[in-house]
Amino acid sequence: MSGWPGLQADCEALLRRFQESESVRFEDFASLWREQRFHTIFYGKIRTPEQIKFTKEALALLWPYFLPPYTFQIRVGALYLLYGFYNTQLCQPKQKIRVALKDWFEVCKFQQELLNAQHYDAAYIFRKLRIDKAFYFTAMPKFLSFRTKKKMNNSVEMTGEFRDPTDRVSMLSPAEFLEETRNVHEHYQKMKCLISTNQSEPDRAIDMIKDDFLAGFKNIVLEYRQWQKNKMYPSLAAMHEEVRNEEEGSSQDSEGAGRARVLADIKSRSYSTVAQTSKSRRHRQIKLESSESGSDHGKTTSPRAKKARKTPQPTQRTENVQKRGLLQSIREQSAKNLSMPVIVEGESEEEDHSSDEDYVPTKKKKRTR
């Protein structure tokens, strides 16, 4: 840490010695703890606020070693260190181990691994910490406060020798491993021939492994290495895939692929020719331009447009009013000048009846004998 730079080095030295012991027993760790006098790490003439800060930073420094991707032995050693630091601290009340909720699942999973492997001493240490309420559950792994963004980014560097190797296949030497596998396979085949009735070839009852086992195993290892290389360098894998696709496309172009390209081209042209209308004209009829001129394909009529057709337009109403006024004036003039009603072409039957009612015939004179 920044305040006590030697703290991380001392803890890693103890974990390294515990890893070299190739044991996960608590008695082996306790002997190393006493040998390096780790119980005196909190001794010193420091004030109470500094002592609290030092204890918090020591527990926060050890906690990442208890989580993946560190090895199983390093995680057990970190558990023992946390137990020792928590019980030997001088703070009253004791400072707790800060645990984020997102990490608790990994902790419970590790506890189950300890029980399954029958490491009961490590499982007891973890249970003792839980009974003593040594864990302080929080939302974030580090304390958040105003203007502490730069301090949060300073994470502890991960030691490579403590990490659990995720790729164990890469640890094998392909040439030596395949040579040893071939020798074992040949010796196994000879032993089967010796115990068979016909010593030239093994019996079918004990011939359980194929003869091409070594070649198949070699192909599996090579495929895994190629997959790992593509995963590490995805850009190169994508480039090789594009080159391969271009070569296959130039050599033979299938009929289905050509048809798909044609359909995609037709769809892109159809959607690109849609007429854009303003918001005020959305109720009007929308016309789509078709690829063939003069065709009615692509025309759509909205229900509001159909309703607008049935209702008379304002211009038609004004024309009808003017026509009725003109007919009324013609009827009045004809009633004054003519004795017979004038029937205008195009006039409705109702208008004819009204003209007959307005006409008043003249009285005829009686003849005298």
Side-chain angles (χ1 to χ4, degrees), residues 137-359:
F137 297 98
T138 59
M140 301 295 292
K142 292 187 178 181
F143 181 74
L144 298 181
S145 60
F146 184 61
R147 292 180 179 176
T148 57
K149 187 175 182 181
K150 294 183 179 180
K151 294 183 180 180
M152 287 182 60
N153 294 333
N154 297 330
S155 58
V156 180
E157 295 182 0
M158 188 172 295
T159 307
E161 57 183 329
F162 294 165
R163 295 187 61 179
D164 189 14
T166 56
D167 186 13
R168 299 183 181 273
V169 179
S170 61
M171 299 173 62
L172 302 174
S173 179
E176 298 178 0
F177 179 73
L178 292 175
E179 182 68 22
E180 185 68 23
T181 306
R182 185 171 69 251
N183 295 334
V184 173
H185 182 65
E186 291 178 357
H187 181 70
Y188 177 67
Q189 291 293 108
K190 291 179 182 179
M191 293 299 296
K192 287 194 297 183
C193 293
L194 291 176
I195 62 176
S196 302
T197 55
N198 185 9
Q199 296 186 358
S200 60
E201 59 181 8
D203 294 339
R204 292 184 177 180
I206 59 176
D207 192 10
M208 306 298 295
I209 298 178
K210 298 181 180 180
D211 296 334
D212 58 346
F213 166 75
L214 186 62
F217 188 77
K218 182 179 180 181
N219 294 333
I220 291 173
V221 173
L222 293 177
E223 288 178 2
Y224 176 79
R225 286 184 171 275
Q226 185 64 31
W227 171 80
Q228 186 182 17
K229 188 184 297 184
N230 296 338
K231 186 178 180 181
M232 294 176 62
Y233 306 100
S235 59
L236 295 177
M239 187 185 303
H240 292 313
E241 188 69 21
E242 290 179 0
V243 172
R244 189 186 308 166
N245 292 337
E246 290 179 0
E247 291 178 355
E248 292 178 357
S250 59
S251 60
Q252 52 179 0
D253 190 4
S254 61
E255 183 180 357
R259 187 180 302 170
R261 284 195 297 270
V262 172
L263 290 175
D265 189 15
I266 292 173
K267 288 181 179 180
S268 62
R269 284 186 295 171
S270 300
Y271 286 116
S272 62
T273 56
V274 176
Q276 299 292 336
T277 58
S278 61
K279 293 183 179 180
S280 61
R281 296 176 179 269
R282 285 181 180 175
H283 64 281
R284 298 191 177 184
Q285 185 179 2
I286 301 174
K287 297 181 179 180
L288 297 177
E289 298 179 6
S290 176
S291 57
E292 299 178 0
S293 60
S295 63
D296 293 337
H297 180 71
K299 295 183 179 180
T300 58
T301 305
S302 62
R304 295 185 63 182
K306 293 180 179 179
K307 187 176 180 180
R309 289 182 180 178
K310 296 180 181 180
T311 57
Q313 299 295 332
T315 55
Q316 296 178 358
R317 292 179 180 177
T318 53
E319 290 177 0
N320 293 335
V321 172
Q322 292 177 0
K323 187 182 293 184
R324 289 179 181 177
L326 181 61
L327 293 175
Q328 186 67 24
S329 61
I330 292 173
R331 285 198 299 269
E332 291 177 356
Q333 292 179 2
S334 61
K336 293 179 181 179
N337 299 329
L338 301 177
S339 59
M340 295 297 291
V342 179
I343 300 175
V344 183
E345 295 181 1
E347 189 174 358
S348 59
E349 295 179 357
E350 295 177 358
E351 293 174 352
D352 292 343
H353 292 298
S354 62
S355 61
D356 293 341
E357 292 174 359
D358 295 338
Y359 173 72

Side-chain angles (χ1 to χ4, degrees), residues 84-122:
F85 278 11
Y86 179 77
N87 288 282
T88 57
Q89 62 176 305
L90 302 177
C91 300
Q92 292 296 333
K94 290 185 177 182
Q95 298 298 318
K96 298 184 178 182
I97 304 169
R98 188 182 181 91
V99 182
L101 294 178
K102 66 181 183 64
D103 299 330
W104 187 246
F105 175 75
E106 295 292 340
V107 174
C108 296
K109 184 178 178 181
F110 182 71
Q111 182 189 14
Q112 190 63 36
E113 290 179 4
L114 292 175
L115 295 174
N116 295 337
Q118 297 183 0
H119 299 309
Y120 296 121
D121 49 354

